[in-house]
Amino acid sequence: MLIGTIVMGSLFMGCNTDNSVECPADFEGALTEEENGLIGTWQLTAILAEKEVDITNDNEENPKKDIFIQYSACEKDADYTFGPGRAYEFSQGENASSCSNKVKLSGTWKLSGGTLGLVGSCTSQNLPVVVNADKSAYSITSNYSITDVKGLTVLTDVKFTYTKVVATP
């Protein structure tokens, strides 16, 4: 739920005064060495908030900074796949069983100077990305308003970590 909100909430659409939509251009061109390291599938493996928040409706007051542990299997089932031709796909709820939160987004991507640019469905977003030393994971941190189970809004930085899926022979 939070991932879908974040993905959709961070998208921007441009319009001109005659109400026609001007979509951003797809990314094109050869990949850089930095970008070649991003090719593959990256699975969501952690979500950590700076402040504690309780998003589970389990009749217990148990706020945690670890948002990922509070997610259902369907909410945790999220990944990005970056292709060598600049195509990307984001999916959520596609691999876990009986998910009602299925999401599939696709478009083009570019990585430059620690910023991951995504263009798709007439939208664009630029995400600050930090890749770990061995290039096996990357994280994106942004500020979000999270509503807890009591309806209170917590404003906090949230760090999403994606780990590269290693293909088995």
Side-chain angles (χ1 to χ4, degrees):
M1 184 167 55
L2 178 62
I3 296 171
T5 302
I6 292 165
V7 170
M8 297 311 292
S10 62
L11 301 176
F12 300 99
M13 186 181 290
C15 298
N16 63 24
T17 56
D18 67 3
N19 292 328
S20 65
V21 176
E22 291 183 34
C23 297
D26 285 338
F27 291 115
E28 298 176 339
L31 299 181
T32 64
E33 185 177 328
E34 176 186 27
E35 292 173 316
N36 281 324
L38 203 59
I39 294 173
T41 299
W42 300 77
Q43 184 176 28
L44 179 65
T45 53
I47 305 172
L48 294 173
E50 188 176 281
K51 297 178 184 174
E52 291 186 336
V53 61
D54 184 2
I55 61 171
T56 57
N57 193 7
D58 58 5
N59 295 319
E60 288 185 38
E61 188 169 321
N62 54 351
K64 295 176 178 52
K65 291 183 178 182
D66 187 346
I67 302 295
F68 191 76
I69 199 166
Q70 299 181 68
Y71 267 19
S72 70
C74 291
E75 292 167 324
K76 291 177 184 177
D77 178 23
D79 59 59
Y80 279 97
T81 300
F82 300 100
R86 295 213 176 272
Y88 85 88
E89 181 175 280
F90 171 80
S91 67
Q92 182 181 19
E94 295 289 327
N95 300 309
S97 60
S98 304
C99 296
S100 62
N101 64 323
K102 292 180 186 273
V103 174
K104 267 201 183 219
L105 302 171
S106 61
T108 59
W109 66 280
K110 179 178 183 163
L111 180 62
S112 178
T115 299
L116 176 61
L118 302 172
V119 172
S121 301
C122 200
T123 62
S124 67
Q125 54 184 325
N126 290 299
L127 307 169
V129 173
V130 176
V131 180
N132 68 356
D134 67 1
K135 299 183 179 172
S136 64
Y138 72 84
S139 60
I140 300 167
T141 303
S142 291
N143 195 265
Y144 296 102
S145 295
I146 303 172
T147 303
D148 71 7
V149 293
K150 294 180 180 178
L152 300 173
T153 300
V154 176
L155 185 62
T156 184
D157 283 344
V158 180
K159 178 180 177 181
F160 293 81
T161 301
Y162 290 84
T163 303
K164 192 164 193 171
V165 176
V166 179
T168 53

